[in-house]
Amino acid sequence: MTSRVRFAPSPTGFLHVGSARTALFNWLHARSVGGTFVLRIEDTDAERNRSDLTDSLLAELEWLGLDWDEGPYFQSERRDRHREVVEDLLGSGQAYLCDAENREVDGSTMVDGLAVRFRMPAGATMAFDDIVRGEVSFATDDLEDFVIWRSNGSPMFLLANAVDDADMGITQAIRGEDLLSGVPKVLLLLDAMGAPRPTYAHLPLLVNEQRKKLSKRRDDVSIGDYRERGYLPEAMVNYLALLGWGPPDEVEIRPLDEIVDLFRIQDVNKAAAFFDLKKLEHVNATHLRALARDDFIDRVAPWVGDDAPWPPERFDAGLFSVMVDLAQEKLRTLGDVTRFVDFLFLEDPVDDPESWEKAMVKAPLATEMLDGAAAVLADCAWDTASVLAAVAEVGESLGLKLGKAQAPVRVAVTGRTVGPPLFETMAECMERAEVLRRIARARARL
RNA sequence: GCCCCCAUCGUCCAGCGGCCUAGGACGCCUGCCUUUCACGCAGGUAACACGGGUUCGAAUCCCGUUGGGGGUACCA
């Protein structure tokens, strides 16, 4: 039998990294076994049934490259079918009507204003074989009757979920561990409907440093936010694949198609995984460096465009292209590009307080260094070698090695201790007068 | 409270009874390179939660303890 999996998010207006990981694992499984990846939007809730909430969800999935074969189906459009199943359950006595105080009300047909509750059988054990967790079982005696149809005339999640999985022929339900305890109820529903059970695979949760499930209140969980900060989709998806799974050859950073070849759902492990931003940055930086030069230029374009922190008219594509290779080598995210080159396009460099403290306040001889540099740079030849020699000479006369000597000049000119090679940048990208002006400006602040 | 799940370096992953004096990656530290940072290279730091079994032999199997997490809605 060919495998059919689904990603069934509830639309909240954005794609959560935990959801993205679930979508990815479903997609990986489908692609690796040649199955079908179905997308279904679980919007039984009236508040969630809004197209603007699903649009961004779909856009982020596309950005990640997780294409679906069927759907999106909308649960809200299947209400009649859900109602039909509830009617059947009510008719067969497996469910009953109940009022707002949870009191059972006689009747075997649905009544407006009354909810429908599923009758929990006594003394039964609901057991199933989870692909990642193995045998899991629940005693029905620990469970209570549960609402499957709201008094406002809408189906509850568990009911809609069970009916849709059955109707859509889902063979594997791959999802987060937070849904594990809902399984016995879904199984009961499926059994009552006479529908086959899918096999389940409950993925370990993604947690924060407190080892709590990632939450949108506390944690940075929006895929869109990562996209906006300049993470590449291939890096995002690569990193996510590493949470709960690892390639057999221990090569962690690699293209998605290789992961598809290596991925096996039964290899997923059970323990919760910490979403480690440091590692994500490393994965991203590695993918960034691997990009072809032109591709890199295309990808950073949005960050140096209209939203950049400098006046658009001051941007100089020619100057920027001189910096491109250096930037690609050093950036961890695309968004870091502005900090790397902003001094070229801003009237005055941003004055990074930490850099100022380190290179100007705490460093000895900073004023002497600036004065000396101002003097020699005023009339040396304006090329890299000459500029370097000039600054080095001033440093030597003060007993400073080049590394120390260039620091105050770097901060005066670029605003930061970190940046591109200084002398090349000054000689090739900046006017002598501007360099001198910035040194004087810094000197005045000391 | 009750139910369920989980437990190898700080973190992620490998290990599925002997190859383990436990491997890789991120992080951190040291050195080299060096015009800062980064990259690269060479090293280093650091873990099988605890207690019982089973077995000739356990990180690997079983039980318990402890710790952590999830669930427990007319949310999904």
Side-chain angles (χ1 to χ4, degrees), chain A residues 218-238:
Chain A
R218 293 185 300 261
D219 311 304
D220 292 332
V221 298
S222 166
I223 287 291
D225 288 348
Y226 287 97
R227 174 173 46 72
E228 285 172 10
R229 274 190 271 161
Y231 288 90
L232 303 174
E234 56 265 54
M236 209 65 217
V237 129
N238 189 164

Side-chain angles (χ1 to χ4, degrees), chain A residues 295-354:
Chain A
D295 194 9
F296 175 77
I297 291 173
D298 287 346
R299 306 248 209 154
V300 274
W303 280 269
V304 298
D306 291 347
D307 293 334
W310 50 75
E313 67 276 10
R314 289 185 63 95
F315 180 71
D316 180 330
L319 271 190
F320 179 68
S321 74
V322 175
M323 309 295 288
V324 161
D325 293 322
L326 291 167
Q328 182 172 4
E329 172 104 341
K330 299 190 183 201
L331 302 184
R332 299 182 79 73
T333 67
L334 292 170
D336 289 343
V337 73
T338 56
R339 266 189 309 169
F340 194 71
V341 300
D342 62 357
F343 69 95
L344 287 173
F345 310 121
L346 286 166
E347 191 157 348
D348 288 318
V350 298
D351 297 305
D352 174 54
E354 266 181 46

Side-chain angles (χ1 to χ4, degrees), chain A residues 10 87 108 120 158 219 248 250 337 347 363-364 429:
Chain A
S10 170
E87 289 276 16
S108 58
M120 187 61 62
L158 249 19
D219 311 304
E250 300 196 321
V337 73
E347 191 157 348
C429 301

Side-chain angles (χ1 to χ4, degrees), chain A residues 11-13 41 43 48 50-59 74:
Chain A
T12 53
I41 306 298
D43 57 348
R48 296 174 200 264
R50 281 168 35 197
S51 65
D52 58 315
L53 293 183
T54 65
D55 288 348
S56 59
L57 200 62
L58 304 188
F74 291 86

